[in-house]
Amino acid sequence: MQRYFVDTVDSDMDQFIISGENARHISKVMRMTVGEEIIVVHDNVAHVCEIIELDQDVRAKKTGTTIPSPEMPVKVDIACGLPKGDKLELIAQKATELGMHALIPFAAERSIVKWDDKKAKKNQERLQKIAQEAAEQSHRTYVPNVVQPISFKQLVQTFSNYDAVYIADEEDAKLATRTTFKQKLQSLNTEKTPRILCIFGPEGGISRNESAIMLEAGAQTMSLGPRILRAETAPFYALAAISYEFE
């Protein structure tokens, strides 16, 4: 069944109103009819619903059946130094499929790309749409939040919001002896839902100055193996490792 995220619920709480692109997709692309069933996700719960009205908006009624959530038992935010080209689009899509909770682009010291306010807003909206489509495709009950780019200083100021902050530092991969990422994950307190921030640099990696500032602020390095990964590959490795450990 097709899956759609909605914010609007009818006043009697047993019907959903689907509008905009989702409504057009149901009626014009999928050519659904009254009586067919879809999955409507509202407030992180996936409801099996029956279409009861097709017009400019689509109205769907709950059947009483819900689908278990596939969300990870940890909340993982991904912070990426602004990379070149369409790499953030790839990260937004695939990291959503892998369970990312939020995507935080930031202006790193080695970022070549610079976004002005107008470009940042436009790109953020495009990335948010990609994340929503990926969440629908991967049957998630939560759409990761894609924020507008922040400064490195602002990124460091968010550290207190997390139970653990990990830096993907390529210098760590060169060490003969290192603490594995698995060992660091196993030290987390799982009595509550841990919040994790994983930080990745742009193509040139994280600078020594940035690394020192983040380590002083409480971050830890994470070992992603002995190989040097591309800026767009490292987030997927980390998310897969976290999923394997906790799921």
Side-chain angles (χ1 to χ4, degrees), residues 142-212:
Y142 177 81
V143 179
N145 182 36
V146 180
V147 305
Q148 289 195 41
I150 60 176
S151 67
F152 174 73
K153 181 179 179 180
Q154 289 172 318
L155 177 66
V156 175
Q157 290 172 344
T158 69
F159 285 9
S160 60
N161 298 330
Y162 297 93
D163 298 294
V165 178
Y166 300 114
I167 312 167
D169 190 341
E170 64 183 40
E171 294 302 315
D172 188 78
K174 300 174 184 177
L175 298 176
T177 303
R178 55 188 180 273
T179 303
T180 66
F181 191 28
K182 177 180 179 179
Q183 291 172 308
K184 293 188 176 182
L185 292 174
Q186 288 175 339
S187 68
L188 286 173
N189 180 3
T190 56
E191 291 182 2
K192 62 174 184 176
T193 302
R195 289 200 64 188
I196 299 173
L197 176 63
C198 295
I199 303 173
F200 305 89
E203 290 80 3
I206 293 170
S207 73
R208 296 301 87 213
N209 178 58
E210 288 171 327
S211 179

